[in-house]
Protein backbone atom coordinates (compact mmCIF):
# COMPACT_ATOMS: atom_id res chain seq x y z
CA UNK A 1 0.00 0.00 0.00
CA UNK A 2 2.79 2.37 0.92
CA UNK A 3 4.59 1.64 -2.40
CA UNK A 4 1.43 2.44 -4.36
CA UNK A 5 1.09 5.80 -2.61
CA UNK A 6 4.74 6.66 -3.39
CA UNK A 7 4.36 5.81 -7.11
CA UNK A 8 1.13 7.80 -7.34
CA UNK A 9 2.71 10.83 -5.67
CA UNK A 10 5.73 10.58 -7.99
CA UNK A 11 3.55 10.62 -11.12
CA UNK A 12 1.62 13.64 -9.84
CA UNK A 13 4.84 15.50 -9.08
CA UNK A 14 6.24 14.71 -12.54
CA UNK A 15 3.10 16.06 -14.25
CA UNK A 16 3.22 19.23 -12.14
CA UNK A 17 6.88 19.88 -13.03
CA UNK A 18 6.28 19.31 -16.75
CA UNK A 19 3.40 21.82 -16.72
CA UNK A 20 5.57 24.39 -14.95
CA UNK A 21 8.51 24.08 -17.36
CA UNK A 22 8.45 26.60 -20.26
CA UNK A 23 8.22 25.26 -23.79
CA UNK A 24 11.27 26.04 -25.93
CA UNK A 25 10.52 28.75 -28.48
CA UNK A 26 11.03 27.99 -32.15
CA UNK A 27 10.66 31.63 -33.24
CA UNK A 28 13.43 32.80 -35.56
CA UNK A 29 14.89 36.21 -34.74
CA UNK A 30 14.53 38.60 -37.70
CA UNK A 31 17.79 39.81 -39.26
CA UNK A 32 17.15 43.46 -38.35
CA UNK A 33 16.83 42.53 -34.66
CA UNK A 34 20.55 41.72 -34.62
CA UNK A 35 21.09 45.43 -33.92
CA UNK A 36 20.77 47.03 -30.46
CA UNK A 37 17.55 45.19 -29.49
CA UNK A 38 19.32 41.82 -29.37
CA UNK A 39 22.30 43.28 -27.51
CA UNK A 40 19.99 44.48 -24.73
CA UNK A 41 18.42 41.00 -24.44
CA UNK A 42 21.69 39.04 -24.18
CA UNK A 43 24.47 40.28 -21.94
CA UNK A 44 26.42 37.05 -22.43
CA UNK A 45 27.27 38.00 -26.02
CA UNK A 46 29.38 40.90 -24.77
CA UNK A 47 31.12 39.00 -21.99
CA UNK A 48 34.90 38.57 -22.12
CA UNK A 49 37.20 36.55 -19.86
CA UNK A 50 38.66 38.28 -16.82
CA UNK A 51 42.20 37.37 -17.90
CA UNK A 52 41.87 38.90 -21.38
CA UNK A 53 44.78 41.31 -20.72
CA UNK A 54 47.18 38.58 -19.63
CA UNK A 55 50.61 38.99 -21.24
CA UNK A 56 49.97 42.56 -22.37
CA UNK A 57 53.04 44.79 -22.62
CA UNK A 58 55.50 41.94 -23.20
CA UNK A 59 57.48 42.27 -26.45
CA UNK A 60 57.29 39.62 -29.16
CA UNK A 61 60.51 37.95 -30.24
CA UNK A 62 62.91 39.57 -32.70
CA UNK A 63 61.79 37.62 -35.79
CA UNK A 64 58.16 38.63 -35.31
CA UNK A 65 59.15 42.25 -34.69
CA UNK A 66 61.17 42.33 -37.93
CA UNK A 67 58.18 41.11 -39.97
CA UNK A 68 55.83 43.65 -38.39
CA UNK A 69 58.34 46.50 -38.87
CA UNK A 70 58.65 46.04 -42.63
CA UNK A 71 58.13 49.40 -44.39
CA UNK A 72 55.04 49.86 -46.52
CA UNK A 73 55.78 49.59 -50.22
CA UNK A 74 54.34 52.24 -52.51
CA UNK A 75 52.69 49.63 -54.73
CA UNK A 76 50.64 48.33 -51.78
CA UNK A 77 48.84 51.64 -51.33
CA UNK A 78 45.28 52.04 -52.64
CA UNK A 79 44.08 55.54 -53.53
CA UNK A 80 40.39 56.33 -53.00
CA UNK A 81 38.73 58.98 -55.13
CA UNK A 82 38.35 61.25 -52.10
CA UNK A 83 42.11 61.20 -51.60
CA UNK A 84 42.16 58.69 -48.74
CA UNK A 85 45.06 56.24 -48.75
CA UNK A 86 44.61 52.67 -47.50
CA UNK A 87 45.78 49.10 -47.96
CA UNK A 88 43.73 45.99 -48.62
CA UNK A 89 42.36 43.60 -46.04
CA UNK A 90 44.64 40.90 -47.47
CA UNK A 91 47.67 43.07 -46.68
CA UNK A 92 46.92 42.99 -42.94
CA UNK A 93 46.03 39.30 -42.89
CA UNK A 94 49.07 38.23 -44.91
CA UNK A 95 51.43 40.17 -42.64
CA UNK A 96 49.83 38.75 -39.49
CA UNK A 97 50.12 35.24 -40.94
CA UNK A 98 53.80 35.78 -41.75
CA UNK A 99 54.51 37.14 -38.28
CA UNK A 100 52.45 34.78 -36.09
CA UNK A 101 51.67 31.87 -38.40
CA UNK A 102 48.33 30.78 -39.81
CA UNK A 103 45.97 30.43 -36.85
CA UNK A 104 48.40 32.22 -34.55
CA UNK A 105 46.22 35.31 -34.31
CA UNK A 106 42.51 35.99 -33.96
CA UNK A 107 40.11 38.93 -34.09
CA UNK A 108 37.57 38.21 -31.34
CA UNK A 109 34.19 40.02 -31.15
CA UNK A 110 33.43 41.65 -27.80
CA UNK A 111 29.68 41.91 -28.37
CA UNK A 112 26.95 41.94 -31.00
CA UNK A 113 26.51 44.46 -33.83
CA UNK A 114 24.91 47.68 -32.64
CA UNK A 115 22.80 50.13 -34.62
CA UNK A 116 23.61 53.78 -33.89
CA UNK A 117 20.57 55.97 -34.53
CA UNK A 118 22.23 59.21 -35.64
CA UNK A 119 19.26 60.67 -37.54
CA UNK A 120 17.21 63.59 -36.26
CA UNK A 121 13.79 62.88 -34.86
CA UNK A 122 11.06 62.62 -37.49
CA UNK A 123 13.44 62.14 -40.41
CA UNK A 124 13.43 58.96 -42.44
CA UNK A 125 16.73 57.10 -42.26
CA UNK A 126 18.29 56.11 -45.59
CA UNK A 127 21.07 54.21 -43.87
CA UNK A 128 22.12 53.11 -40.41
CA UNK A 129 25.56 53.24 -38.81
CA UNK A 130 26.61 49.84 -37.52
CA UNK A 131 29.43 49.26 -35.02
CA UNK A 132 30.95 46.29 -33.26
CA UNK A 133 33.89 46.01 -30.89
CA UNK A 134 36.69 43.51 -31.47
CA UNK A 135 39.87 42.44 -29.66
CA UNK A 136 43.02 41.32 -31.47
CA UNK A 137 44.94 38.40 -29.93
CA UNK A 138 48.33 37.18 -31.18
CA UNK A 139 49.85 33.98 -29.80
CA UNK A 140 47.06 33.95 -27.19
CA UNK A 141 48.02 37.40 -25.95
CA UNK A 142 45.87 40.51 -25.97
CA UNK A 143 47.21 43.14 -28.40
CA UNK A 144 44.54 45.75 -29.01
CA UNK A 145 40.84 46.53 -28.91
CA UNK A 146 38.82 48.78 -31.24
CA UNK A 147 35.40 49.43 -32.74
CA UNK A 148 34.66 48.64 -36.37
CA UNK A 149 32.14 50.81 -38.18
CA UNK A 150 30.27 51.00 -41.48
CA UNK A 151 27.16 52.50 -43.08
CA UNK A 152 24.44 49.99 -43.95
CA UNK A 153 21.75 50.73 -46.56
CA UNK A 154 18.82 48.35 -45.97
CA UNK A 155 17.46 46.95 -49.21
CA UNK A 156 20.50 48.10 -51.22
CA UNK A 157 23.22 45.84 -49.84
CA UNK A 158 23.58 42.54 -48.06
CA UNK A 159 23.76 42.58 -44.28
CA UNK A 160 26.59 40.04 -44.41
CA UNK A 161 28.69 42.44 -46.51
CA UNK A 162 28.19 45.20 -43.94
CA UNK A 163 29.27 42.82 -41.17
CA UNK A 164 32.50 42.03 -43.05
CA UNK A 165 33.22 45.75 -43.49
CA UNK A 166 32.80 46.27 -39.75
CA UNK A 167 35.27 43.46 -39.05
CA UNK A 168 37.87 44.86 -41.47
CA UNK A 169 37.49 48.34 -40.00
CA UNK A 170 38.21 46.95 -36.53
CA UNK A 171 41.17 44.89 -37.81
CA UNK A 172 42.73 47.95 -39.42
CA UNK A 173 42.42 49.96 -36.19
CA UNK A 174 43.73 47.14 -34.00
CA UNK A 175 46.76 46.69 -36.25
CA UNK A 176 47.79 50.29 -35.60
CA UNK A 177 49.12 49.17 -32.20
CA UNK A 178 51.40 46.69 -33.99
CA UNK A 179 52.66 49.41 -36.35
CA UNK A 180 51.24 47.82 -39.51
CA UNK A 181 50.95 50.35 -42.35
CA UNK A 182 51.71 53.09 -39.83
CA UNK A 183 52.83 55.30 -42.72
CA UNK A 184 49.17 55.84 -43.61
CA UNK A 185 48.68 57.69 -40.31
CA UNK A 186 51.61 60.03 -41.05
CA UNK A 187 50.42 63.13 -42.93
CA UNK A 188 53.87 63.98 -44.27
CA UNK A 189 54.20 60.47 -45.71
CA UNK A 190 50.74 60.52 -47.32
CA UNK A 191 51.29 64.00 -48.78
CA UNK A 192 54.61 62.85 -50.24
CA UNK A 193 52.98 59.74 -51.76
CA UNK A 194 50.21 61.81 -53.38
CA UNK A 195 52.70 64.30 -54.82
CA UNK A 196 54.62 61.43 -56.41
CA UNK A 197 51.85 59.13 -57.60
CA UNK A 198 48.51 60.99 -57.64
CA UNK A 199 46.74 63.97 -59.16
CA UNK A 200 43.53 65.79 -58.23
CA UNK A 201 41.24 66.87 -61.09
CA UNK A 202 37.73 68.13 -61.80
CA UNK A 203 35.59 65.33 -63.20
CA UNK A 204 31.96 64.88 -64.22
CA UNK A 205 29.79 61.93 -63.33
CA UNK A 206 28.11 61.14 -66.66
CA UNK A 207 25.15 59.44 -64.96
CA UNK A 208 23.96 62.56 -63.11
CA UNK A 209 26.13 65.41 -64.55
CA UNK A 210 27.55 66.19 -61.12
CA UNK A 211 31.04 67.70 -61.02
CA UNK A 212 33.55 67.11 -58.25
CA UNK A 213 37.26 67.37 -57.60
CA UNK A 214 38.53 63.80 -57.23
CA UNK A 215 41.85 61.96 -57.08
CA UNK A 216 43.38 59.38 -59.43
CA UNK A 217 46.75 57.70 -59.85
CA UNK A 218 48.98 59.32 -62.45
CA UNK A 219 49.42 55.99 -64.22
CA UNK A 220 45.65 55.44 -64.53
CA UNK A 221 42.94 57.18 -66.57
CA UNK A 222 39.39 58.02 -65.58
CA UNK A 223 36.90 55.26 -66.25
CA UNK A 224 33.13 55.21 -66.55
CA UNK A 225 31.12 56.94 -65.22
CA UNK A 226 33.72 59.69 -64.73
CA UNK A 227 35.29 61.94 -67.34
CA UNK A 228 37.65 64.88 -66.98
CA UNK A 229 36.08 68.33 -67.23
CA UNK A 230 37.24 71.95 -67.29
CA UNK A 231 34.69 72.98 -64.68
CA UNK A 232 36.07 75.46 -62.16
CA UNK A 233 34.39 76.06 -58.83
CA UNK A 234 33.47 79.69 -58.14
CA UNK A 235 33.23 81.27 -54.71
Amino acid sequence: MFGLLVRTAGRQLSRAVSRAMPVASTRVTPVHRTFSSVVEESDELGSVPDNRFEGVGQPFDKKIAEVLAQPLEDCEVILAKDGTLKVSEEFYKDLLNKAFGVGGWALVPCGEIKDLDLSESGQEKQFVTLIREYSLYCHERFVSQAFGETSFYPGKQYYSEAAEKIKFSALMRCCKDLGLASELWNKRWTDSWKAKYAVQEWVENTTNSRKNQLWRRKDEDWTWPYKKTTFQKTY
Side-chain angles (χ1 to χ4, degrees):
M1 183 67 180
F2 177 75
L4 179 61
L5 291 175
V6 171
R7 287 194 296 271
T8 303
R11 286 194 294 269
Q12 292 176 348
L13 178 60
S14 177
R15 286 195 294 268
V17 171
S18 63
R19 287 195 297 267
M21 293 180 62
V23 178
S25 174
T26 58
R27 178 176 59 86
V28 177
T29 302
V31 171
H32 294 293
R33 294 188 69 254
T34 54
F35 298 156
S36 55
S37 58
V38 173
V39 177
E40 294 174 358
E41 293 175 5
S42 179
D43 295 333
E44 294 181 359
L45 291 173
S47 61
V48 290
D50 294 334
N51 63 341
R52 64 186 182 279
F53 298 127
E54 184 177 355
V56 68
Q58 300 179 14
F60 292 105
D61 61 46
K62 185 177 179 180
K63 291 184 179 180
I64 293 177
E66 289 177 351
V67 174
L68 298 177
Q70 292 179 2
L72 178 63
E73 297 183 8
D74 292 342
C75 61
E76 295 281 2
V77 179
I78 300 173
L79 173 67
K81 289 182 173 58
D82 63 358
T84 303
L85 301 183
K86 59 183 180 179
V87 292
S88 66
E89 182 177 359
E90 289 72 19
F91 171 86
Y92 290 104
K93 291 181 177 180
D94 288 346
L95 207 54
L96 290 173
N97 285 336
K98 289 179 182 178
F100 303 104
V102 177
W105 64 275
L107 193 65
V108 182
C110 302
E112 265 292 356
I113 295 177
K114 297 181 181 180
D115 171 13
L116 297 183
D117 187 358
L118 302 179
S119 64
E120 297 182 3
S121 179
Q123 292 185 347
E124 183 179 356
K125 297 196 313 183
Q126 296 182 351
F127 69 92
V128 292
T129 301
L130 304 180
I131 65 170
R132 191 179 195 182
E133 192 174 17
Y134 286 86
S135 292
L136 177 63
Y137 288 84
C138 299
H139 285 180
E140 300 184 0
R141 288 162 49 182
F142 174 87
V143 172
S144 183
Q145 191 165 321
F147 277 97
E149 179 181 342
T150 192
S151 297
F152 175 60
Y153 295 80
K156 295 184 179 180
Q157 68 179 129
Y158 291 110
Y159 181 76
S160 57
E161 293 178 353
E164 285 297 315
K165 290 182 179 180
I166 297 172
K167 187 176 181 180
F168 172 50
S169 174
L171 176 64
M172 175 185 64
R173 292 170 177 171
C174 286
C175 285
K176 287 174 61 178
D177 288 352
L178 289 174
L180 303 189
S182 59
E183 293 89 344
L184 299 181
W185 308 97
N186 186 325
K187 189 176 185 304
R188 288 186 177 180
W189 192 94
T190 56
D191 288 345
S192 175
W193 190 95
K194 288 181 181 179
K196 186 176 181 180
Y197 295 104
V199 60
Q200 189 179 31
E201 296 176 332
W202 281 100
V203 295
E204 177 183 349
N205 188 326
T206 57
T207 61
N208 53 27
S209 300
R210 292 180 180 176
K211 298 179 177 63
N212 290 290
Q213 213 172 9
L214 302 178
W215 289 85
R216 68 170 175 85
R217 291 181 60 103
K218 292 180 180 179
D219 57 353
E220 297 178 354
D221 295 324
W222 293 108
T223 57
W224 186 90
Y226 297 102
K227 69 175 183 178
K228 187 176 179 179
T229 181
T230 57
F231 175 79
Q232 298 294 326
K233 189 173 182 179
T234 58
Y235 296 92

